[in-house]
Amino acid sequence: MALFADEILQDALSEITLRDPTFLERQSVGFPPIPALVERYRATPLFAAWDDAAIEQRLTAGLAAVFESGVRSAEEAGPQGRLAAVIGDSIMDGLAAEVGAVALQAPPRRAEPLAKILQEEYSAKTTPDGVNYLVREKGERWLLVVNAIGIPLYVWSRLLGDSQHDYRILVVESETADLIAGGMRSDADLASDVGRIVAALDAERIEAIDVVGWCSGGRVAVQLAADQPERVLSLALISTSLRGVPGSDAKATQFEEDIGGIFDSVNRAPETGDFLSELLVNSSKLAQPPTDDAMLFRLPAREHASALTAPLSTGNYLRNYCRRMVQDKAHPTGEALSRIRAPILAIAGSHDHIISNDHTWATLKAHAKAVQGAAVNGAGHYAHDLQYPYFRLMLDAFTRGRPFAAARVETL
């Protein structure tokens, strides 16, 4: 395989080991026969112009590289079939990128520690009113990153530390949480977050900016785009829950049902927050290793697992988090969506068990004027991290008004 194609493939294989270093030691992967794979890819528009011999040659070389990397092949197709499809798609995408058919960039290595990235490439600033924010001192195109409420910033390390893009990144501290460490020091509402972002935009005299919001940060990004239509050029929403917004009858995920019950319980009886905080943090440490690819795809990178419990990590944090999440659910986000002028891109993970992709997509279509959606095969709730090359592919194309395509990306 060519070097670039091998880098794409190795990055895809690293998604597995970053979630569970032992998964490939415990599991084998059943790949369909090469002729069946050739037929599959030959039938897709992206590879329609390729002849069978070319596809077969590339798949053969790619699978050889997979096995050289230590992946064990099952005797027949079937076990871990979804993982086999992700690997096959990654092989084809990497090779298509070599000839310019897919606009994937060579994936950067996992970033340096966030503290080093911020020290070398970012300036820490404060508005006259005391709002803290970070600005990347490189790049030409302004990009606002709105993190999930209460989550430490290092889950964005790949974007923040990627030297290949031209985004001048802006990250604004929420009143609820430390900008770097996360947590939930208050239950300040969504309007407070929007106001603080506007203050930073004013301080930097930013007249036009692209916006990306992840998870609960997506609702903040939506309201900002509605309130600042002259400034927001585009809005990308990654795995954003729109529960509470009318427009879809799709069922909630089990996670949404469970966490909603916790919110209600703590809000009714705040004294339970300390006990439930300890229970939630400890239970997250006892998760069993995944036994199949569907379970694997749900997981974050193991290095980020503790970060995801930051807003739940003390009783006071959990009480603040519960109040804030209930407030956000009742916020008139549907009305805000209807006022957005900028185009919206909804980025989903095919195996996101945190939110209902069906609900989010149907709700966006019911309220937004210009929306498109895409799901990354084999991704969970963390496409901006584990599937970073595909996130960059979609973000770069979307912010510049260009179409995008890849074998691992399904258009919604």
Side-chain angles (χ1 to χ4, degrees):
M1 292 181 71
L3 177 60
F4 181 81
D6 188 61
E7 290 176 345
I8 297 293
L9 174 60
Q10 294 304 320
D11 194 76
L13 294 176
S14 76
E15 296 176 25
I16 304 168
T17 54
L18 286 167
R19 290 157 162 148
D20 180 0
T22 69
F23 186 83
L24 292 175
E25 298 172 7
R26 295 181 286 106
Q27 305 290 337
S28 58
V29 182
F31 292 92
I34 290 290
L37 288 172
V38 171
E39 183 178 355
R40 172 190 169 192
Y41 290 111
R42 185 71 171 81
T44 63
L46 187 57
F47 303 105
W50 296 32
D51 61 38
D52 289 358
I55 295 175
E56 180 175 354
Q57 179 184 13
R58 286 157 174 77
L59 283 169
T60 300
L63 288 174
V66 168
F67 299 135
E68 288 174 5
S69 298
V71 176
R72 294 183 295 114
S73 177
E75 293 183 1
E76 59 184 23
Q80 314 300 348
R82 290 169 291 245
L83 183 54
V86 166
I87 292 173
D89 288 352
S90 301
I91 291 170
M92 295 303 295
D93 281 337
L95 290 160
E98 288 278 358
V99 297
V102 171
L104 283 170
Q105 304 294 316
R109 294 182 299 107
R110 298 293 288 183
E112 299 284 353
L114 180 61
K116 182 177 180 181
I117 294 170
L118 298 182
Q119 181 181 16
E120 294 179 351
E121 298 188 20
Y122 288 77
S123 292
K125 300 186 178 184
T126 304
T127 71
D129 293 333
V131 176
N132 298 322
Y133 62 98
L134 296 171
V135 174
R136 184 178 187 241
E137 296 299 346
K138 299 178 182 178
E140 298 295 328
R141 189 177 184 110
W142 281 104
L143 176 69
L144 171 70
V145 172
V146 186
N147 195 14
I149 306 301
I151 301 297
L153 187 61
Y154 65 78
V155 298
W156 285 93
S157 291
R158 288 196 91 178
L159 176 67
L160 297 176
D162 184 356
S163 62
Q164 300 177 43
H165 65 65
D166 194 36
Y167 296 114
R168 193 167 187 203
I169 294 174
L170 171 71
V171 189
V172 182
E173 185 173 63
S174 169
E175 188 176 343
T176 63
D178 182 86
L179 180 58
I180 309 299
M184 285 298 295
R185 61 193 176 198
S186 84
D187 62 351
D189 64 11
L190 187 152
S192 168
D193 285 346
V194 173
R196 293 168 71 88
I197 292 171
V198 172
L201 294 174
D202 290 344
E204 291 296 317
R205 299 180 181 178
I206 299 171
E207 299 300 327
I209 193 166
D210 298 298
V211 179
V212 57
W214 171 51
C215 189
S216 52
R219 290 184 186 248
V220 177
V222 165
Q223 191 64 49
L224 176 73
D227 292 349
Q228 300 282 311
E230 72 286 354
R231 273 176 159 161
V232 175
L233 299 174
S234 70
L235 174 60
L237 301 174
I238 310 168
S239 298
T240 295
S241 172
L242 296 175
R243 281 287 154 196
V245 182
S248 171
D249 295 327
K251 292 182 179 180
T253 65
Q254 187 62 53
F255 179 90
E256 288 172 313
E257 294 281 5
D258 293 344
I259 199 70
I262 291 171
F263 294 160
D264 292 342
S265 176
V266 173
N267 285 335
R268 284 195 308 268
E271 67 275 9
T272 64
D274 298 289
F275 165 75
L276 286 173
S277 168
E278 184 176 0
L279 179 66
L280 290 167
V281 172
N282 288 338
S283 64
S284 70
K285 298 175 182 177
L286 300 175
Q288 296 299 309
T291 57
D292 60 47
D293 46 19
M295 291 177 63
L296 177 80
F297 292 155
R298 294 178 175 186
L299 299 177
R302 181 170 291 191
E303 65 188 288
H304 292 160
S306 62
L308 302 175
T309 65
L312 320 172
S313 58
T314 73
N316 281 335
Y317 279 5
L318 179 58
R319 284 184 279 271
N320 288 333
Y321 189 64
C322 291
R323 287 192 291 267
R324 171 60 188 266
M325 292 299 101
V326 170
Q327 291 171 12
D328 281 8
K329 186 176 179 181
H331 188 82
T333 299
E335 183 273 336
L337 282 168
S338 69
R339 292 192 286 114
I340 293 177
R341 299 179 195 169
I344 299 173
L345 172 65
I347 299 175
S350 63
H351 286 72
D352 192 337
H353 74 298
I354 302 295
I355 71 160
S356 166
N357 290 331
D358 290 343
H359 182 278
T360 295
W361 179 235
T363 303
L364 286 171
K365 289 196 295 182
H367 293 279
K369 296 180 177 68
V371 59
Q372 59 180 304
V376 183
N377 188 21
H381 196 62
Y382 319 98
H384 62 291
D385 178 53
L386 285 169
Q387 291 75 35
Y388 180 75
Y390 289 91
F391 167 68
R392 269 284 312 278
L393 163 73
M394 292 183 283
L395 184 67
D396 290 352
F398 175 64
T399 56
R400 291 158 176 81
R402 299 195 299 259
F404 56 81
R408 276 190 71 180
V409 175
E410 177 186 2
T411 301
L412 301 177

